[in-house]
Amino acid sequence: FWQKIVIMETEKIMAMNKRKRLLSERTARIILCAALYAALALFIGGLFLLSSNYQKIYKSPTVTDGKVDFSGIELESRDVACNLAGKWEFYYNEWIVTDSFEGEPDGMIGVPGLWTYRNFGKGTLPKTGYASYRLVAENVQAGVSINVFRHNSDLAYRVFLNGTLNVRSGTLSKNLSGTKVSGTYDERIPYVTDGGTIEIVIELSATNGGGLNAAPWLNYVWSGNTYGSRLRSYTFIALGITTAA
């Protein structure tokens, strides 16, 4: 009889200890999850702060209504990485440099951004097509070699500065079948600034992606390398994660 009582009490104690252990483990998991969520929230909050203030942080001028003023911007500084996000002139299904198009733009479009389902007086646009984007840069520092480009592009495009080819990535075509994306620079010809105004034109090859999903960068070139890559990488991570969030 006493042996059965001892066994029963022992089993009760073991069960209680097991429940306590499980409760402790559950509490530890809850605390760990809460800490991870808090850390993630702080991280994402920091990225939002970075992405919303990158122009100030990287000393990048603001693009407004198809123009950007580089007054006081020293392009040769390693602290400068000029992201050209903002409102650009937009020409749907036109290559304004290659085809010497002299007509008016269809309107202004935000870069990065898509033309899909937008209406520029041509009806609702599909996600397919090709296009040109135009921006006027004013008061650019003289005597500096620069490139304008998209990093690791998933589109085929070319950039003209004052009508001169600056960068080409991929094979361009007005048809999807002829478009070939390379993801890197196939041609890169640094442009030497003269201190005046620079007309920046991006011609985009036929795509089914609806337009420029990332803003281009303007950076100076030294010994064949473009500075600002580390700054750009941080911003790409910030913008990518905050967009996904």
Side-chain angles (χ1 to χ4, degrees), residues 43-181:
F43 179 67
I44 293 177
L47 292 180
F48 268 113
L49 182 63
L50 173 63
S51 62
S52 61
N53 291 279
Y54 71 88
Q55 287 181 310
K56 292 181 180 178
I57 296 171
Y58 298 159
K59 304 177 183 178
S60 183
T62 302
V63 175
T64 306
D65 296 329
K67 293 184 178 181
V68 57
D69 188 353
F70 279 83
S71 296
I73 303 295
E74 296 183 5
L75 293 175
E76 292 176 314
S77 170
R78 295 194 184 196
D79 295 329
V80 174
C82 298
N83 183 273
L84 300 178
K87 296 289 186 180
W88 289 57
E89 290 183 5
F90 176 67
Y91 304 77
Y92 181 69
N93 275 359
E94 298 287 353
W95 284 344
I96 63 175
V97 175
T98 300
D99 296 336
S100 301
F101 179 79
E102 297 181 355
E104 295 296 315
D106 293 314
M108 307 297 293
I109 192 170
V111 175
L114 304 181
W115 66 63
T116 308
Y117 304 129
R118 299 282 301 276
N119 191 318
F120 293 92
K122 296 184 175 182
T124 301
L125 298 183
K127 65 179 181 179
T128 54
Y130 59 97
S132 293
Y133 299 77
R134 180 178 178 271
L135 177 68
V136 175
E138 301 173 329
N139 302 310
V140 181
Q141 178 186 358
V144 179
S145 295
I146 62 172
N147 282 331
V148 174
F149 60 95
R150 290 182 70 243
H151 191 63
N152 296 328
S153 178
D154 56 353
L155 301 167
Y157 70 95
R158 56 186 163 232
V159 179
F160 294 92
L161 302 183
N162 285 341
T164 301
L165 181 65
N166 179 235
V167 169
R168 179 180 64 82
S169 177
T171 300
L172 280 76
S173 172
K174 296 179 180 179
N175 301 299
L176 280 172
S177 59
T179 297
K180 294 182 180 179
V181 175

Side-chain angles (χ1 to χ4, degrees), residues 175-191:
N175 301 299
L176 280 172
S177 59
T179 297
K180 294 182 180 179
V181 175
S182 68
T184 187
Y185 317 112
D186 296 296
E187 287 186 81
R188 186 171 61 167
I189 307 168
Y191 179 89

Side-chain angles (χ1 to χ4, degrees), residues 208-227:
N208 60 5
L212 288 174
N213 52 16
W217 295 81
L218 184 151
N219 284 98
Y220 88 94
V221 181
W222 178 82
S223 296
N225 295 314
T226 304
Y227 278 121

